[in-house]
Amino acid sequence: MITAIQKENILEAPFVKEMREATFNLWKLGWDERNGGNISYLLQEEEVSRYLDVNQVKRTLPLQFPVAELANKYFIVTGSGKYFKNVKGDPKNTLGIVKVDESGNNIYVLWGFEDGSNPTSELPSHFMSHIARLKVDANHRIIMHNHATNIIAMTFMHDLDEASFTKTLWQMCTECIVVFPDAIGILPWMVPGTEAIGQKTADKMKAHRLVLWPHHGIFGAGTTMDETFGLIETAEKAAQIYTIIGDSSKIKQTISDKELDALAKAFHVEPKAGILTI
Ligand code: 2HA
Ligand code: ZN
């Protein structure tokens, strides 16, 4: 007699716990008001199959944009219209585990979105950014979008040139150049939730792990939830210092380019070329 292999409780899965904790912490920080923000987390089949029969498809959703590069890959993603505040207490309706089908034209919902909801409206930006980051780093797994307050504020006060914006952030806290030596990519203002903004975001993700959407928020990419959260936290902290200062004429001294260069050398990181003048 063949007995079905007992699956473990999905709510105990580390990746579900990480999604619940991250969304709650992001909400508490004030960066994900209402339904703001979204996260997608690339999972291995071995991880998912401990908890789910991966052949049990609950729903098939067509993608407006094909992602052949992600064929047969699994993700846990936040739901469209869902509030980060509520994910911790209501994971089955606010999160979903999806698998991209073999053609890259559809996704299969394997778990979650039980109230009939769908993956985040920013799925184009997430999927296209995953494709871009996986080409740079095979260990890449997380794309996180949120409305980090001071980063948004800074997009009104600072010019939006990538090199000068990055250099200001690097100057605000000593750790910045070490955490994001690859600089911050910046898009022009665009309508969110579209394939067009997804493509532009992914283009920036080829060279940057942080991509700024002016007057809207930020996208971060990384290998773990902690690392990605920490990346955005670090940029947001620097932006907070900038907004606290408020008026650049108040700045009496800053970290010089020579000092930033010394920091990069001490921590063995390569700052993006064209930002420091040594
Ligand atoms: O609705 O943050 O960019 C979630 C968003 C859209
Ligand atoms: Zn947003």
Side-chain angles (χ1 to χ4, degrees):
M1 195 178 80
I2 300 168
T3 49
I5 298 163
Q6 191 66 39
K7 297 290 181 186
E8 295 172 48
N9 178 2
I10 184 96
L11 296 177
E12 298 298 322
F15 48 83
V16 174
K17 286 187 177 170
E18 285 178 81
M19 291 292 278
R20 292 166 81 177
E21 280 169 16
T23 47
F24 197 72
N25 288 330
L26 287 159
W27 170 70
K28 278 205 290 193
L29 284 162
W31 303 345
D32 293 280
E33 72 290 341
R34 202 174 182 272
N35 63 321
N38 22 79
I39 305 177
S40 59
Y41 184 169
L42 174 62
L43 304 173
Q44 305 303 325
E45 183 166 300
E46 308 80 76
E47 288 175 285
V48 180
S49 60
R50 277 180 61 178
Y51 305 94
L52 299 177
D53 176 351
V54 297
N55 298 311
Q56 280 270 320
V57 176
K58 301 261 197 295
R59 275 190 290 155
T60 301
L61 305 172
L63 289 172
Q64 308 307 322
F65 52 95
V67 286
E69 294 93 332
L70 299 179
N72 302 314
K73 292 202 186 301
Y74 297 82
F75 295 88
I76 183 164
V77 296
T78 51
S80 177
K82 300 301 181 184
Y83 293 22
F84 271 23
K85 172 170 72 73
N86 299 336
V87 174
K88 197 172 192 169
D90 186 22
K92 289 180 183 166
N93 292 317
T94 57
L95 299 174
I97 294 176
V98 300
K99 180 185 185 180
V100 179
D101 76 358
E102 40 293 316
S103 69
N105 289 314
N106 300 284
I107 48 174
Y108 300 136
V109 178
L110 304 180
W111 175 84
F113 299 142
E114 284 187 4
D115 57 3
S117 48
N118 291 315
T120 168
S121 59
E122 301 295 359
L123 202 63
S125 290
H126 281 256
F127 274 179
M128 292 181 205
S129 293
H130 280 291
I131 293 169
R133 290 309 305 173
L134 282 166
K135 285 182 185 153
V136 181
D137 179 355
N139 294 319
H140 157 84
R141 297 183 74 178
I142 307 272
I143 297 290
M144 181 184 287
H145 165 61
N146 62 48
H147 300 166
T149 314
N150 291 281
I151 281 279
I152 299 175
M154 199 169 155
T155 65
F156 293 88
M157 300 189 285
H158 199 283
D159 67 72
L160 297 176
D161 172 70
E162 288 176 350
S164 81
F165 201 102
T166 298
K167 187 148 134 188
T168 301
L169 291 175
W170 285 355
Q171 288 171 329
M172 291 296 117
C173 303
T174 295
E175 64 181 331
C176 280
I177 196 170
V178 179
V179 177
F180 50 98
D182 49 349
I184 189 161
I186 306 181
L187 296 193
W189 186 91
M190 292 179 75
V191 175
T194 61
E195 194 180 329
I197 202 169
Q199 198 57 62
K200 292 273 186 218
T201 303
D203 281 349
K204 293 292 182 189
M205 283 280 177
K206 291 176 187 163
H208 308 277
R209 288 166 303 139
L210 283 171
V211 178
L212 189 54
W213 288 3
H215 322 320
H216 180 145
I218 192 161
F219 268 76
T223 56
T224 66
M225 191 71 81
D226 258 0
E227 187 207 27
T228 314
F229 201 133
L231 177 64
I232 293 179
E233 261 182 323
T234 307
E236 167 63 12
K237 177 64 180 276
Q240 186 179 12
I241 308 286
Y242 182 82
T243 57
I244 287 171
I245 297 168
D247 172 359
S248 58
S249 70
K250 288 191 199 158
I251 296 177
K252 303 245 185 299
Q253 55 277 317
T254 187
I255 313 170
S256 69
D257 284 22
K258 226 172 131 214
E259 288 165 338
L260 287 168
D261 184 57
L263 260 171
K265 287 195 168 75
F267 286 89
H268 310 291
V269 295
E270 187 69 50
K272 187 167 170 47
I275 299 181
L276 299 182
T277 314
I278 309 295

